[in-house]
Amino acid sequence: MFEFIRNHKRWIQVMLVLLAASFLVVGGMATNENTDSTIEVANVNGKKITQPEWEDAQRKQIDRYRAMMGAQFDQKRFDTPEFKREILNNLVAQRAVETEIERSHLTVGDDVLVNTIQQDENFHTNGKFDVEVYKAALNNARMTAPQYEESLRRSFAVQQLTGTVQETAFVPRAVASRLSDMFDQEREVQELLFPAKEQQAQVKVTDEMVKAFYDKNAALFQIPEKVKIEYIMFDAAAVEGLVSVTDAEVSEFYKSNLKRYTTPEDRQYSHIMFTVAKGASAADKAAAKAKAEAVLAELRKAPESFAEVAKAKSQDVATAEQGGDLGQAKKGEFLSAALEPAVYKLKQGEISDVVESEFGYHILTVTKLVPEVVKPFDEVKDAIVAEVKKPKMSKKYSELAQVFSETVYDQSDSLKPAADKLKLKIETIDNLSRTPNPALGNAPFNNVKFLNAVFSDSVLKNKHNTDAIQATPSTLIAGRVLDYKPATKRPLAEVDTVIRARVAEQEAANLAKKAGEAKIAAAKASGDAAGFGEAKVVSRAAPTGINPTALTAVLKADTSKLPAYVGVDLPGIGYGVYRIGKVAQAAKPDVARRAAEQQDIAQRIGQAEMHNYIDALKQKAKAKVTVKTEVAAADTPAAPAVK
């Protein structure tokens, strides 16, 4: 049992985290359900979902993704309004489902719960439920038994409520068969291309055509509005030199946290065990102890044979093959508490007396002993200075950030007062537009919130400072406009050459299309295949052989009368005409794939029905999101924006 827990500790922990995912989210929701002092972000059945609950759910979901994705995890992918909105929608749906469960009085009996836990092979030893394995597994997952059992109750209740919706989703066989037939249908097609470049010699672009294109497509020649600004930034670097740490503070931190700089003593130990069954008689105990004493006497003469003797005589099957090895001896994690004091009395290579535990009698030895090591103060001093300094800097940052914000707001006609007060440098940058410029990367002045502030009426027209904008968690920026260039249109003379080339391409494509359409009319009249290429068979299952752009049109074409013809614009090429001569089903349909398709269709229908059912439960529970979740929403007292 002990070996099972030790060897599978990480695996069991991961399994329990996944099993308890719904508890972690839904259970967390209940924590602050009646906290009126927090901001409400949604309301279901008259009960609030608060900002802390929402943020907690976001953190837990991110933690699960981090655990699943490992080194590939990227925090930026989840720090988006879309992700936050999805989490909030999930919370609302969960609360609506919970409301319906309560209304329907759905319950799960203790017998079902107990049976489920006892049948779970993750909690078995030698094919039977082991309560110690169960407790150890929950402990490794940082859950109590009541918490885990409550998560199971919730899961069962949700399955009762929603399971039948998805499980009873039905798609008629004829419908599934029809859809699979469409996927397998084969069409014999011939292609005839009319390249646009072959028509260019006939194209004549006039000044009037250029002017018409220029007027019609003004947006293509627009030069966005630009500003030149000056700005100041307040970040951690501005606080660095204002905070100091004394030697006494560093020394006291080292003494108070000595365990952090201590590598504990490492002991590895082995045992030879003689088991005693629970409720064994005194005679049986005496016999087992006598065996142990006899083996101990043997070991006293040849201590180096411990591993060999363990393999031959230990009754702990799980460790005997390893010479009795039980791994590291960490306090509180011994096979039995009775063994701990005996192991810690031994030096490396020493053998204990016979020790009794609830499992029987043991002979112990320490196979490896690495003494405790404490890192010297000088070795960790720099790290301690940084750690002691961090909360001081945080406090100082908060104080000065307030000064920064108030100064740029109160003295809004200049950035100089704030720059002088906090010893900041006023910087200048030109050619900023309303939208972030990819070439500027993550620069604070390229932040969408800051740019929105710069282009606001108050800043743009009245030449006021912007408010202090939080560009990153530890960076504030404020700016003011020095020069503004309104949006303009490039002169026609400047873009004349580009327009002529564009118009020429369009006109050539039009001529190619006209020739293609004439060919379709002639082919329909004659019914022959003159000029077309070789016949190729295409289908949705095998979509190769013709231009991908044309494939969709060919497969959608009306084939009630054959041959059928379809014309397709091919950007960058010209115009294609396609003659469909035959339509047939595949000679050998993929039976396995068709079965999978029918199952997939049923699942999709079930998902759609489940989505509709959840929406109905939301309406029934009068669910309402009271927070704005748009990407660029502004705060209002009634509906604060996503942060």
Side-chain angles (χ1 to χ4, degrees):
M1 177 193 69
F2 176 76
E3 282 300 297
F4 178 86
I5 296 172
R6 185 160 62 88
N7 293 333
H8 298 81
K9 179 177 180 180
R10 177 60 181 163
W11 177 73
I12 290 177
Q13 183 174 0
V14 172
M15 177 275 300
L16 281 171
V17 168
L18 294 175
L19 282 175
S22 62
F23 171 81
L24 291 174
V25 175
V26 181
M29 287 171 58
T31 305
N32 297 317
E33 186 173 305
N34 296 315
T35 305
D36 293 329
S37 60
T38 55
I39 299 173
E40 176 185 298
V41 295
N43 192 295
V44 182
N45 199 38
K47 297 179 181 178
K48 294 196 298 184
I49 296 175
T50 64
Q51 184 86 21
E53 292 168 351
W54 183 20
E55 292 172 353
D56 187 49
Q58 293 171 37
R59 283 192 296 271
K60 287 173 178 174
Q61 185 66 12
I62 288 173
D63 287 344
R64 284 195 288 278
Y65 279 122
R66 183 182 288 109
M68 289 189 294
M69 299 173 70
Q72 295 181 337
F73 176 80
D74 184 358
Q75 178 81 31
K76 294 179 183 177
R77 291 175 56 187
F78 304 99
D79 190 18
T80 65
E82 291 81 6
F83 173 76
K84 296 173 183 179
R85 180 167 56 242
E86 180 183 354
I87 295 297
L88 182 56
N89 289 340
N90 287 342
L91 289 180
V92 171
Q94 289 167 356
R95 187 67 64 84
V97 170
E98 283 189 328
T99 300
E100 186 64 18
I101 288 172
E102 293 175 6
R103 184 183 289 117
S104 304
H105 304 292
L106 295 178
T107 59
V108 178
D110 290 342
D111 55 336
V112 175
L113 198 66
V114 171
N115 183 63
T116 300
I117 293 173
Q118 292 185 347
Q119 293 299 318
D120 192 331
E121 294 182 0
N122 295 303
F123 306 133
H124 285 192
T125 300
N126 297 327
K128 294 184 179 180
F129 177 74
D130 190 323
V131 68
E132 295 302 323
V133 171
Y134 177 59
K135 291 179 179 178
L138 293 180
N139 184 58
N140 289 334
R142 298 180 181 179
M143 294 180 68
T144 65
Q147 285 177 330
Y148 177 60
E149 289 159 11
E150 176 61 20
S151 74
L152 286 183
R153 287 186 191 276
R154 289 179 182 273
S155 296
F156 280 132
V158 170
Q159 288 173 14
Q160 282 182 273
L161 183 67
T162 64
T164 54
V165 176
Q166 279 190 291
E167 291 171 6
T168 57
F170 172 73
V171 55
R173 183 170 297 179
V175 174
S177 178
R178 174 61 177 155
L179 291 172
S180 293
D181 285 347
M182 290 173 61
F183 190 78
D184 281 337
Q185 187 188 81
E186 296 176 341
R187 297 190 171 194
E188 186 181 272
V189 61
Q190 295 170 275
E191 181 182 57
L192 176 58
L193 292 179
F194 291 83
K197 63 182 180 181
E198 294 180 0
Q199 309 294 329
Q200 287 180 348
Q202 303 177 48
V203 174
K204 293 183 180 180
V205 180
T206 65
D207 291 344
E208 290 76 13
M209 294 167 69
V210 172
K211 182 66 166 59
F213 185 94
Y214 178 76
D215 293 339
K216 185 177 180 181
N217 298 278
L220 295 177
F221 312 109
Q222 195 80 5
I223 300 175
E225 57 187 332
K226 301 282 186 181
V227 291
K228 179 180 180 181
I229 67 164
E230 61 180 11
Y231 66 93
I232 52 174
M233 288 194 304
F234 178 74
D235 55 17
V239 182
E240 182 79 32
L242 304 177
V243 176
S244 61
V245 176
T246 66
D247 289 342
E249 288 176 306
V250 177
S251 178
E252 177 59 29
F253 187 93
Y254 177 74
K255 293 175 183 177
S256 301
N257 297 274
L258 202 58
K259 284 186 178 180
R260 291 176 54 178
Y261 310 108
T262 301
T263 302
E265 177 186 273
D266 180 15
R267 286 174 179 255
Q268 287 184 272
Y269 74 117
S270 299
H271 79 151
I272 299 171
M273 185 171 73
F274 298 88
T275 59
V276 175
K278 291 182 180 180
S281 65
D284 290 340
K285 289 183 178 181
K289 186 174 182 181
K291 288 181 183 179
E293 295 285 3
V295 171
L296 177 61
E298 179 184 337
L299 289 171
R300 294 290 189 210
K301 297 175 183 178
E304 71 280 358
S305 66
F306 191 97
E308 294 179 8
V309 174
K311 288 181 180 180
K313 298 185 178 182
S314 179
Q315 294 176 351
D316 182 358
V317 179
T319 64
E321 285 300 316
Q322 286 76 45
D325 180 37
L326 285 168
Q328 287 185 322
K330 291 186 178 180
K331 290 185 178 181
E333 295 186 5
F334 280 77
L335 174 62
S336 168
L339 306 184
E340 186 171 307
V343 170
Y344 275 89
K345 287 180 183 178
L346 300 174
K347 297 179 181 178
Q348 184 170 331
E350 286 186 343
I351 297 174
S352 72
D353 293 331
V354 174
V355 179
E356 183 180 3
S357 78
E358 64 268 35
F359 303 109
Y361 296 94
H362 308 257
I363 303 170
L364 305 161
T365 187
V366 173
T367 56
K368 179 182 177 182
L369 197 161
V370 179
E372 176 182 275
V373 177
V374 181
K375 289 184 179 180
F377 174 74
D378 289 341
E379 185 178 326
V380 296
K381 181 179 179 180
D382 290 344
I384 293 175
V385 168
E387 188 159 354
V388 174
K389 197 173 183 180
K390 189 174 181 180
K392 289 188 171 187
M393 287 185 61
S394 179
K395 182 179 179 182
K396 193 69 174 177
Y397 178 89
S398 297
E399 293 173 357
L400 296 183
Q402 182 75 13
V403 173
F404 179 87
S405 299
E406 290 176 352
T407 305
V408 297
Y409 179 81
D410 293 339
Q411 301 185 52
S412 62
D413 58 344
S414 174
L415 295 175
K416 193 172 185 304
D420 291 345
K421 188 176 292 187
L422 298 173
K423 296 180 174 57
L424 303 175
K425 184 179 180 182
I426 298 177
E427 304 278 3
T428 303
I429 186 167
D430 201 358
N431 291 321
L432 287 182
S433 59
R434 283 184 182 267
T435 56
N437 182 350
L440 297 177
N442 295 321
F445 48 74
N446 200 40
N447 178 278
V448 65
K449 292 181 182 178
F450 179 67
L451 292 174
N452 286 341
V454 166
F455 282 89
S456 66
D457 285 347
S458 174
V459 176
L460 200 61
K461 296 178 180 179
N462 301 329
K463 305 296 183 183
H464 290 164
N465 297 338
T466 68
D467 289 340
I469 304 298
Q470 187 172 13
T472 72
S474 60
T475 302
L476 294 175
I477 183 172
R480 61 182 293 103
V481 174
L482 298 176
D483 185 40
Y484 172 71
K485 297 176 183 177
T488 58
K489 190 177 180 182
R490 293 182 185 277
L492 176 58
E494 186 178 312
V495 294
D496 180 86
T497 302
V498 174
I499 293 176
R500 286 183 183 276
R502 185 78 170 268
V503 171
E505 289 178 1
Q506 286 185 355
E507 290 299 309
N510 290 339
L511 290 174
K513 182 176 183 179
K514 186 176 180 181
E517 290 174 340
K519 176 60 179 178
I520 291 176
K524 285 182 177 180
S526 65
D528 62 39
F532 286 92
E534 64 175 330
K536 298 177 181 179
V537 176
V538 299
S539 69
R540 291 176 177 84
T544 57
I546 64 172
N547 187 290
T549 303
L551 181 65
T552 301
V554 168
L555 294 175
K556 289 171 60 177
D558 181 4
T559 56
S560 57
K561 182 180 179 181
L562 296 176
Y565 299 88
V566 60
V568 183
D569 286 307
L570 302 176
I573 299 175
Y575 194 75
V577 176
Y578 298 88
R579 181 180 188 272
I580 305 167
K582 293 181 182 179
V583 176
Q585 287 301 125
K588 294 182 179 180
D590 188 332
V591 177
R593 197 203 72 229
R594 283 178 168 246
E597 287 171 354
Q598 183 164 3
Q599 185 176 6
D600 181 61
I601 293 168
Q603 287 177 347
R604 291 175 185 272
I605 291 175
Q607 291 168 359
E609 291 181 359
M610 174 59 69
H611 186 273
N612 293 336
Y613 179 59
I614 295 296
D615 282 347
L617 291 184
K618 288 180 183 179
Q619 292 181 6
K620 189 174 181 180
K622 298 180 180 178
K624 181 174 68 173
V625 173
T626 56
V627 66
K628 287 186 178 180
T629 56
E630 291 81 5
V631 174
D635 284 313
T636 67
V642 172
K643 299 296 185 186

